[in-house]
Amino acid sequence: MSLVQETDYGTPRSRATEEVRLTIDGQTVIVPVGTSIMRAAMDAGIKVPKLCATDSVEAFGSCRLCLVEIAGRAGTPASCTTPVAPGMVVSTQTERLKQVRKGVMELYISDHPLDCLTCAANGDCELQDMAGAVGLRDVRFGYDGENHPKQEKDESNPYFTFDPSKCIVCSRCVRACEEVQGTFALTIQARGFDSKVSAGTLGDNFLSSECVSCGACVQACPTATLSEKSLIEIGQPEHSVVTTCAYCGVGCSFKAEMRGEELVRMVPYKDGKANRGHSCVKGRFAWGYANHRERILKPMIRDSVDQPWREVSWQVAIDRVASEFKRLQGKYGRLAVGGITSSRCTNEETYLVQKLVRGGFGNNNVDTCARVCHSPTGYGLKTAFGTSAGTQDFDSVEQSDVIMVIGANPTDAHPVFASRMKKRLRQGAKLIVIDPRRTDLVRMPHIEADYHLPLRPGTNAAILNALAHVIVTEGLVNEAFVREFCDRDAFEHWAGFVSEPQNSPETVGLMAGVSPEAIRGAARLYATGGNGAIYYGLGVTEHSQGTTAVMAIANLAMATGNLGRQGVGVNPLRGQNNVQGACDMGSFPHELSGYRHISDDATRTMFEKLWGRPLDDEPGLRIPNMFDAAIDGTFKGIYVQGEDILQSDPNTAHVTKALAAMECVVVQDLFLNETANYAHVFLPGSTFLEKDGTFTNAERRINRVRRVMTPRNGMADWEITLAIAKAMGFEMPYSHPSEIMDEIAKLTPTFAGVSYDLLDKVGSVQWPCNEKAPLGTPIMHIGGFARGKGNFMITEYVPTDERTGPRFPLLLTTGRILSQYNVGAQTRRTDNVVWHDEDVLEIHPHDAEERGVRDGDWVKLDSRSGGTALRARITDRVAPGVVYTTFHHPETQANVVTTEFSDWATNCPEYKVTAVQVSPSNGPSDWQREYAEQAEHSRRIAKVAAE
């Protein structure tokens, strides 16, 4: 095995279609108009020396190493900043150029520490490489530079160091921060010999700056100035494997760079079609949880939750699962057990869990975490378009003219895609943000939303209807698109509905707390501004009218013709790495893989024939139904793969009661999570680094996950499920996940062309991938919808039953923060806690003053469901009457206050609207203290007696 090498072309590629023919060092080269001489040379296999140039940022022309000679032109222009021209004759290697380059390199080396043998970048240093490339053998100016060698290292960032003594002031880090990430945290301070990279803060260190630790600067650095601490500690990697990040739904591709079975670093893969060589702090650096001391590596069992855990063999644990589930079904009936698949696990693993439930347990009691996040997306988009997924690829945003972001905070939750979005916005695209909170996108360096509609939580459907009202009543509908591609009767019915006075901006604005003029302006901009793209998140779906709002978004896109081409579309931003895939694989109780209803005889027969088992034709229990049935005494056993339902699901007290009522709770995870407090069997899971498989991201992109090390727990997750199935008498004869994907392809029309061989060959594909689209489908609904004609739906606004009043006068909404992920099980066990070590409650200054609350004070947060306590952060990011918190830390248990109200179609919980009261507190609540005591007691592990 060896390192995966990627070519650096020096400058970005030109998107022009017209070509230019020129000659470089006697070779004829044909490249697109606008290509730099440096890139054209690299296309021909000619490496021009460079230091300040890299193909992830625009040309800068400062290092003066890449000089060339051009016939008929005076001087020696920089090849990175000089575009090709027809008939141009270029020389990259002449005596004159050799002398100039040697002189430049002498100046660099004279001001650079010569500790190459002990330097972390030894063997992977561009300065070292360029010294060799230009034939540098001596330095006339000596080696005692008076500048950089005397500066101290900045080691404030937990993941990388900044050593200014090794900096050559090439500005690559500054430009990467600006152009790739879009944060603008770095700058070059001073001039001439005093020039240095600065983090621009009083302390002038990375940790106190606006740096988001995405790693773009580290990746761009040509020396050891910016180096990963893991690289300094372990040494240079000796082989690498391309795999896929296991955090959010962007699905970034990485090179896992290894020494033996030790991970040295994760480097974003330039050929990754989702991330295009960029990364965020989680994917780039937050992988240390895989080796955290709290990770459980041995199976454990216990008879009751008040007993300590006992470590046992895999065979004993698997046999316990099978015998208990058989006992429960024998005593309480076939429907008494079920399972929950994981959106953190692979497609293959989630497919196996639903297969185990349907074929092994003999029922359809299977559900997934998408129930509590994006289930309204599946229902709403399938109703409108015929498919349960987003319409575009991520590249599409580069051609958007108007971007509407509703109920999503991509800079925190989907940061790599957000960087691409921000780049398009800096290029001039218009922005509409619909969110109760002033997210970063509303106003940040070089970006300001054209319209921010800070709606009252729970009024999404009303605002979307008001936008539609303007589009219809002002004659802004794309009549040609509607006439050709949509159901005309449905459109007419819908147009009449949204035109009614109750949907006008004036009526809705008063109710939602948004200016009618802003609603009208946003509607006109979206309808007339060119390519309009809508991106939405959990702020749309996690409502009692989540499905209604998704349908309303689809209505807007169809009415304006913003579907079926690049730059437009309806794009759900998925929260976890494989939410889309978990849904695709048949994890819902009413659907088999490919979103086909379990009651369809032809579909069910196909599965029965291949599986050799009869399948129940009745849909099973959804997660909330499982909880209710458990409390009622009819649901007794559950197999939970890679989800922490106790921390992530609403109304924690209700979930606790349900879990406590079950006789066998099986948890398969990396750590003793909150759900494991009520478990009877714990099966240690494997990380994404320890398994083969695939993830499907938010753009329907199926990406390979590749094993880079042996599972520390002894088994990959898919192997654990196979062992349970075998013990239940339902043997599944797979020897590798590729065989599972082959079966998925046989049974799932949208995956019919997918195989590991194809993915290894082309990198990734977007479903549908079949005979009609053998290389996948980047853009959906070109020339028509999957269901035939687009279906406009009536989206009447119905206020939530969760109302404010004298006891609970504020509305709580929840979300995520950049450094943490979901329930924090992984990121809390990394150095990301430096940035976010506790959940806090954002509250408006007016509301805080009314309650006598100061910034940093402990406050009680109470609702009809329960109460918790956390510290207050006073900010005008939230409007008066609205408070906001995250749910990453179990100490807070934010979901103890959320209610059981849910979406009318899918039971997706209404996390985003909870009536609450905030009052001063002296610290954690009694409930929190009792919960912490129970958790500590439940996590005891009996000591194994010495043999």
Side-chain angles (χ1 to χ4, degrees), residues 836-892:
H836 187 81
D837 60 354
E838 62 178 341
D839 295 317
V840 297
L841 185 75
E842 291 187 0
I843 184 169
H844 190 272
H846 172 76
D847 294 325
E849 185 177 1
E850 277 195 336
R851 290 160 174 77
V853 172
R854 297 167 298 179
D855 196 64
D857 282 357
W858 279 93
V859 294
K860 289 193 296 182
L861 180 68
D862 292 305
S863 75
R864 295 179 181 89
S865 295
T868 187
L870 66 172
R871 296 184 190 275
R873 176 172 296 161
I874 299 176
T875 175
D876 63 357
R877 274 183 177 267
V878 291
V882 177
V883 292
Y884 168 90
T885 190
T886 52
F887 55 93
H888 303 303
H889 292 269
E891 294 81 9
T892 306

Side-chain angles (χ1 to χ4, degrees), residues 48 102 143 149 154 290 302 692 709 716 740 859 868 892:
V48 179
K102 278 188 179 181
Y143 303 96
D154 173 6
R302 59 185 174 183
D692 285 295
M709 60 179 66
I740 306 172
V859 294
T868 187
T892 306

Side-chain angles (χ1 to χ4, degrees), residues 68-120:
V68 294
E69 292 183 358
I70 302 173
R73 294 193 192 181
T76 53
S79 63
C80 65
T81 57
T82 306
V84 297
M88 180 181 278
V89 178
V90 179
S91 297
T92 69
Q93 189 78 351
T94 67
E95 287 302 317
R96 180 187 183 190
L97 293 173
K98 288 179 184 178
Q99 294 306 311
V100 171
R101 288 172 182 156
K102 278 188 179 181
V104 170
M105 281 303 303
E106 284 185 272
L107 291 170
Y108 277 121
I109 297 302
S110 70
D111 190 32
H112 194 82
L114 296 183
D115 58 351
C116 294
L117 293 179
T118 57
C119 178

Side-chain angles (χ1 to χ4, degrees), residues 438-504:
R438 193 187 72 239
T439 60
D440 286 346
L441 273 181
V442 174
R443 188 179 303 113
M444 64 191 315
H446 304 282
I447 292 172
E448 185 165 2
D450 295 87
Y451 293 97
H452 175 213
L453 310 185
L455 75 174
R456 181 177 173 83
T459 60
N460 286 334
I463 285 288
L464 290 163
N465 286 341
L467 295 173
H469 177 96
V470 176
I471 291 168
V472 171
T473 60
E474 295 189 4
L476 304 180
V477 171
N478 187 328
E479 293 285 354
F481 183 90
V482 171
R483 187 165 44 251
E484 184 174 0
F485 299 118
C486 301
D487 184 302
R488 190 69 192 184
D489 290 341
F491 168 74
E492 296 291 352
H493 190 200
W494 170 80
F497 159 73
V498 297
S499 299
E500 293 172 359
Q502 73 266 23
N503 293 316
S504 71

